[in-house]
Amino acid sequence: MKTDYSDIIERVLIDEESLKLKIKQLAKTINTYYEDKDTLILVGILKGSVMFMAELAKSLNIDLQMDFMVVSSYAENTYSSGNVKILKDLDIDIKDKEVLIVEDIIDTGYTLKKTKENLINREAKDVKIVTLLDKPERREVEIKPDWSGFKIPNEFVVGFGLDFDQMYRNLPYIGVVKRSFYENIEDAK
């Protein structure tokens, strides 16, 4: 079992303790916002949001349901193609419901903007966004989260649900990937 990722990770950007603390703070704010509203539906965007959504849900003390979507604009690349596809849709009807999209990271914004538009078109009562990470300098479309954990620089990151080629999601922290690591792999494709 590999425990040393120094050949891949340049540095830890956000440690495990900071992640947990920030998620508890986000949950407190969300609890307050939704305390007098109807049942909340958390919509996790798979696969990256799983770790964040699980930690967030554990700290929410409001009535909620959870569902998931698989929405992608990345395919097998490290950059967004801008072509957004729904690969797995919701099982829950969201018409007239309070919806909170739970996202791991907002980068270009293409995926999230299309997802939010899609949920609004289904006549949700309200659609808000919470993201663990926000990378505003990479934004190519107008989209802002209602709640955000950390603003991060334009670096390629993995861990706590975020991946590179479906790997490294299980790291308990957010780490910056060495440029040489992903450039060598992308050049080989």
Side-chain angles (χ1 to χ4, degrees), residues 57-74:
K58 289 190 299 188
S59 295
L60 293 176
N61 58 14
I62 53 179
D63 291 337
L64 63 85
Q65 294 177 306
M66 295 167 52
D67 205 347
F68 297 92
M69 295 178 79
V70 176
V71 185
S72 180
S73 67
Y74 282 82

Side-chain angles (χ1 to χ4, degrees), residues 88-179:
K88 185 235 177 271
D89 210 343
L90 297 174
D91 296 323
I92 297 173
D93 180 10
I94 62 165
K95 184 176 180 181
D96 299 322
K97 306 284 185 178
E98 300 281 346
V99 174
L100 178 59
I101 300 171
V102 182
E103 182 66 288
D104 56 350
I105 187 169
I106 305 175
D107 195 340
T108 62
Y110 287 113
T111 303
L112 196 54
K113 182 174 184 180
K114 293 287 188 180
T115 302
K116 184 174 182 177
E117 288 170 358
N118 179 288
L119 298 179
I120 289 169
N121 288 339
R122 296 181 198 196
E123 300 177 37
K125 186 177 197 176
D126 188 36
V127 179
K128 299 281 189 217
I129 299 167
V130 61
T131 186
L132 181 61
L133 305 175
D134 188 6
K135 203 186 284 188
E137 72 181 85
R138 286 268 301 143
R139 204 79 81 245
E140 294 180 15
V141 296
E142 185 64 34
I143 187 89
K144 289 185 179 181
D146 297 281
W147 300 285
S148 176
F150 300 91
K151 284 190 178 168
I152 65 168
N154 185 18
E155 297 184 284
F156 186 49
V157 293
V158 295
F160 206 74
L162 288 94
D163 74 300
F164 176 70
D165 203 16
Q166 301 301 322
M167 299 289 293
Y168 316 110
R169 292 185 193 277
N170 60 315
L171 299 178
Y173 56 84
I174 304 293
V176 175
V177 178
K178 290 181 178 178
R179 182 176 296 276

Side-chain angles (χ1 to χ4, degrees), residues 15 28 71 77 102:
D15 64 52
K28 185 176 179 182
V71 185
N77 300 314
V102 182

